[in-house]
Amino acid sequence: MQLMSDALAVTGSRHGVIFEPLQHRGRLLRFSRFDEAPEFGLRAGLRIGDREVIFPLAPLRNAEPFALLDQRATPATWSLKGVDARSGLVVTLLVAVPFRPRDADFSTAPVLIFDLSVRTLGGHFRWTPKVTPPEKFDLFLEIEGGPFQQEARAGALDLTFQATRTLPDSKDGSSRRPVHQQVPQRDRLTAVQGKREGQRFRLATTPVGAEKQSLRVAWSTWSAPALTIRDVPSPFRYTKNFPSLAAVSRWAKSHAADVLHQAEAFAKEAAAPAGGAAMDHLLAHTLHSWLVNTWWTLQPDGSDWFSVWEGNCYFHSTVDVEFTQAPFYLLWWPELLGLEIDQWTDYAKPAEGLLGSSGRDAAFLSHDVGWGCSVGTQYYPHEMEIEETANWILLLHAHAARTGQRKRVRRHAITLARFTRFLLAADTDGDGIPDRGVANTIDDGSPAIQYGTQQTYLAVKTLAALTAAATMLDETRQPELAAQSRRACKKIARKISVSGWAGDHFTVLLEKSGRLKDPWTGKLKDFEKIPGWDAPHIYTANTLPILDLAGLKIPLDESRLRKDLHVATARCLRAYGCTHTDFQREDLDRLETAATDGLAGAAQNPGWISMNMLRDLAALKRGIDFTHLAQRYWDWQVLTNTQGTTLFHETFGGNHLHYYPRGVAIWGLFGCLGSKPESKNPKKPSQR
């Protein structure tokens, strides 16, 4: 594979490295914004006499580059393979993190394993003469430059430095201008195989035979709390198992082989069942981007806290983002989603401020729960009341359906009732479809798709949420509210059927005229014909993958849906995937959209890769195979990461959502094809 930027990090533990081979450097992932991650050199390669050949992760200086480089990645590894034609040797640098879904102890161990191995080429390199490998040579690895002070220890090297912790300058969500604080850090590089000599780790080798020879180094960390939850420091989860850096380092040395073995085993388990090599690349790339966003810490009572940054936006546990990622959680790690479902309930808001007296005893859900290294309130500039509230209901239902654990439904019976009342009360004209609080996550879309009052997208989502709510309300002995929900569902299904079908596709809006409220400016504007109201779009099927995984059916005409999937995909398809809609935004000034803080902006043909992925999952369950589009999504990742560092770049056509976690939606592929084995409770290795 071509050289491109990538990263690897430990789940929730804020320990990782951004690899930038085209810039000849690495960057340290810790608590700061991604664009502020400090640079350093990772000097690794081959030494033969006075000649050094290194990988492009540090400046060459007096060293030579490998004649050919091949980059690879699996879900829990990143690697470079280099061919040295002059010696006839092939060197591989493999970096691995502990990752075993549903095993929190193993997967949060704050350790990176670096494995540098060598083999003979076994023939000619291109047209160069065949050579005899040297009798003696070294493999070596060292850290140079960056923020580090290096202190030698027996068989190890400590790195001391200051890590930047980014906080918002307000605690009420009114501002998120960054405030930087310095957090003292001590990391440890430990020789697992090989030895330390000065600041370099080295393995002296002899002629290479059949047996693999590896220099193996573990990079461990241990830190005081960096995240605050409602102003209370929140220790990292790994501190439950590791009381000190020394304890982490001991574990790393004794479990390095386990980490590498598990990474290899998981790569086989998570091999793409469809879509070819591009899908394999996406599975690895999207998980890497999710890992760098995860935070797993402890609350004051000792219970787990799990949240995920929204990529370069840095919001914590954005509900619509986590909803998109839910296929991954439901299939691979449902406990993480369960933690978030519980946590979100603390961020419910009374609905009376939006709905007046009709919102009494009702509530809606915030968009997010924090920003940067601070959790405690929403920081996004506007609410997404209907979308986020419906998302929570659907996630609660899907989690219970997939896991068979019903206690969570009963525990949240009151919140469920308040959220359901809000969805019902937000319909002010009696057609069942909410017309208040309808701004959604599609924040670079046209007014119709972003905040139209009769969105097909939100109509389907509300229909699904009320269908799910009704079943859970019955379970929690709230029959009257369940009956109201079912009556509303009938109205919504009727309205979609009568007003939403344009002969071969579902329209963006169910009504062509209406008053729109721009959530960015607060301005109201009346339209006789809302631009783009009847365009094909890819959002009708957006909610369906969660329903499919939960076995929940809604009254949406399946034959029309299949037709819509074909037509909307064909009409919206561009070079790297489908745009939101087929509406052409020729006159952006006339539409009076606003750009705010880089989160929303006017773009000619905006599209989001993960929304394409959800559409593809819904299609696959209905016998329509769009897995070939994975090549387009991967081409976009290659384009962006060979011209900079973006990791999973969610958006094309103008917006700039990058380092984004939402691409793990593609992991729902396994549920569509029935290829995911039954989840098992893993055997957990010792933490000492």
Side-chain angles (χ1 to χ4, degrees), residues 102-145:
R102 308 191 72 184
D103 187 343
D105 291 341
F106 182 79
S107 299
T108 60
V111 174
L112 300 170
I113 302 299
F114 293 78
D115 187 84
L116 196 63
S117 61
V118 63
R119 65 173 177 83
T120 55
L121 182 60
H124 296 269
F125 175 69
R126 295 175 176 168
W127 288 348
T128 60
K130 187 175 181 180
V131 297
T132 301
E135 293 187 2
K136 295 181 180 181
F137 55 91
D138 290 349
L139 298 173
F140 69 90
L141 181 147
E142 62 184 331
I143 302 295
E144 63 177 20

Side-chain angles (χ1 to χ4, degrees), residues 311-621:
N312 67 309
C313 299
Y314 306 106
F315 300 116
H316 276 274
S317 288
T318 298
V319 183
D320 54 82
V321 173
E322 297 303 286
F323 180 87
T324 305
Q325 295 166 193
F328 167 73
Y329 294 129
L330 292 171
L331 286 164
W332 296 90
W333 208 329
E335 292 83 1
L336 299 182
L337 180 59
L339 291 173
E340 291 191 292
I341 290 170
D342 293 342
Q343 291 160 188
W344 280 319
T345 60
D346 291 336
Y347 298 87
K349 298 176 178 176
E352 290 179 276
L354 177 68
L355 302 178
S357 60
S358 63
R360 190 177 298 117
D361 296 326
F364 62 85
L365 190 59
S366 297
H367 163 271
D368 61 82
V369 302
W371 183 86
C373 292
S374 175
V375 168
T377 190
Q378 173 177 314
Y379 278 88
Y380 194 81
H382 71 76
E383 305 283 2
M384 301 177 184
E385 297 95 334
I386 295 300
E387 182 178 29
E388 308 299 36
T389 304
N391 284 339
W392 184 90
I393 293 173
L394 288 165
L395 291 174
L396 177 65
H397 177 272
H399 185 272
R402 290 290 306 181
T403 64
Q405 299 170 7
R406 311 303 304 185
K407 289 182 180 179
R408 183 166 277 107
V409 172
R410 295 190 288 275
R411 184 164 67 245
H412 295 309
I414 294 175
T415 299
L416 171 64
R418 295 180 74 206
F419 284 172
T420 303
R421 290 191 194 99
F422 172 69
L423 295 182
L424 296 171
D427 165 32
T428 65
D429 58 10
D431 62 0
I433 299 173
D435 48 71
R436 303 291 298 279
V438 295
N440 63 43
T441 187
I442 313 167
D443 58 14
D444 60 359
S446 67
I449 192 69
Q450 184 184 163
Y451 47 87
T453 55
Q454 289 281 322
Q455 300 168 39
T456 301
Y457 163 55
L458 287 188
V460 173
K461 188 175 287 285
T462 304
L463 172 61
L466 290 176
T467 301
T471 65
M472 293 187 289
L473 289 164
D474 284 339
E475 183 178 346
T476 56
R477 300 182 181 181
Q478 301 179 79
E480 183 177 345
L481 193 54
Q484 293 178 42
S485 300
R486 291 190 172 98
R487 288 194 293 270
C489 286
K490 291 180 180 180
K491 294 178 182 179
I492 298 171
R494 186 181 308 116
K495 183 69 176 282
I496 294 172
S497 178
V498 172
S499 303
W501 185 245
D504 64 354
H505 69 273
F506 286 106
T507 56
V508 170
L509 299 180
L510 302 175
E511 299 288 348
K512 70 176 181 180
S513 63
R515 169 172 290 186
L516 305 188
K517 180 179 180 180
D518 189 325
W520 301 102
T521 64
K523 292 181 179 180
L524 297 171
K525 187 174 180 64
D526 293 307
F527 291 90
E528 290 186 8
K529 184 178 180 181
I530 300 170
W533 78 275
D534 59 348
H537 63 105
I538 67 169
Y539 284 86
T540 301
N542 183 271
T543 304
L544 300 181
I546 301 302
L547 307 186
D548 294 337
L549 286 171
L552 183 68
K553 302 292 184 183
I554 59 173
L556 189 65
D557 189 301
E558 284 285 323
S559 62
R560 286 183 173 182
L561 180 60
R562 283 191 289 272
K563 180 70 172 177
D564 176 78
L565 286 164
H566 281 295
V567 170
T569 298
R571 292 273 296 274
C572 297
L573 189 61
R574 305 294 186 268
Y576 300 112
C578 286
T579 56
H580 300 315
T581 83
D582 190 32
F583 170 59
Q584 299 297 307
R585 299 178 60 170
E586 301 294 345
D587 188 355
L588 299 173
D589 292 334
R590 178 174 62 86
L591 297 179
E592 298 185 4
T593 58
T596 302
D597 295 337
L599 294 174
Q604 185 61 40
N605 285 296
W608 294 4
I609 301 295
S610 70
M611 301 296 102
N612 282 255
M613 291 172 170
L614 285 183
R615 184 272 322 278
D616 296 348
L617 298 181
L620 200 55
K621 288 293 285 188

Side-chain angles (χ1 to χ4, degrees), residues 131-378:
V131 297
T132 301
E135 293 187 2
K136 295 181 180 181
F137 55 91
D138 290 349
L139 298 173
F140 69 90
L141 181 147
E142 62 184 331
I143 302 295
E144 63 177 20
F148 310 116
Q149 296 293 319
Q150 302 194 16
E151 301 176 8
R153 303 176 66 90
L157 194 67
D158 279 10
L159 307 176
T160 59
F161 58 101
Q162 298 286 324
T164 300
R165 174 174 174 253
T166 307
L167 298 164
D169 67 346
S170 73
K171 295 182 180 180
D172 61 1
S174 60
S175 172
R176 59 179 190 279
R177 286 192 297 269
V179 175
H180 300 307
Q181 296 180 351
Q182 298 302 306
V183 182
Q185 299 284 284
R186 180 178 289 271
D187 290 7
R188 184 163 296 166
L189 299 172
T190 305
V192 179
Q193 293 177 186
K195 62 181 180 179
R196 180 189 61 78
E197 293 182 354
Q199 295 182 353
R200 172 171 287 194
F201 291 85
R202 170 178 170 267
L203 179 73
T205 63
T206 53
V208 179
E211 187 175 343
K212 178 181 175 182
Q213 301 181 66
S214 293
L215 169 65
R216 190 169 294 170
V217 178
W219 186 342
S220 306
T221 192
W222 193 97
S223 179
L227 183 72
T228 60
I229 301 176
R230 301 191 187 278
D231 296 328
V232 177
S234 183
F236 285 103
R237 190 200 181 281
Y238 62 73
T239 59
K240 290 175 64 174
N241 303 309
F242 302 111
S244 66
L245 176 61
V248 179
S249 181
R250 287 194 297 271
W251 185 91
K253 189 166 185 177
S254 61
H255 287 83
D258 295 340
V259 171
L260 293 168
H261 174 76
Q262 172 57 30
E264 182 179 3
F266 187 63
K268 293 177 181 178
E269 183 181 8
M279 193 70 80
D280 275 320
H281 294 327
L282 282 170
L283 289 168
H285 190 68
T286 59
L287 189 69
H288 292 183
S289 203
W290 176 82
L291 286 169
V292 304
N293 282 283
T294 55
W295 288 80
W296 202 334
T297 62
L298 299 172
Q299 301 190 73
D301 64 0
S303 61
D304 285 8
W305 170 275
F306 177 79
S307 59
V308 183
W309 263 350
E310 190 189 336
N312 67 309
C313 299
Y314 306 106
F315 300 116
H316 276 274
S317 288
T318 298
V319 183
D320 54 82
V321 173
E322 297 303 286
F323 180 87
T324 305
Q325 295 166 193
F328 167 73
Y329 294 129
L330 292 171
L331 286 164
W332 296 90
W333 208 329
E335 292 83 1
L336 299 182
L337 180 59
L339 291 173
E340 291 191 292
I341 290 170
D342 293 342
Q343 291 160 188
W344 280 319
T345 60
D346 291 336
Y347 298 87
K349 298 176 178 176
E352 290 179 276
L354 177 68
L355 302 178
S357 60
S358 63
R360 190 177 298 117
D361 296 326
F364 62 85
L365 190 59
S366 297
H367 163 271
D368 61 82
V369 302
W371 183 86
C373 292
S374 175
V375 168
T377 190
Q378 173 177 314

Side-chain angles (χ1 to χ4, degrees), residues 12-28:
S13 297
R14 311 310 306 163
H15 182 36
V17 173
I18 302 171
F19 303 103
E20 296 182 323
L22 295 172
Q23 292 79 21
H24 288 257
R25 68 190 181 199
R27 289 164 66 201
L28 179 69

Side-chain angles (χ1 to χ4, degrees), residues 636-650:
W636 178 243
Q637 306 311 314
V638 172
L639 176 68
T640 57
N641 282 284
T642 52
Q643 298 184 43
T645 301
T646 66
L647 268 72
F648 180 70
H649 202 293
E650 167 75 297

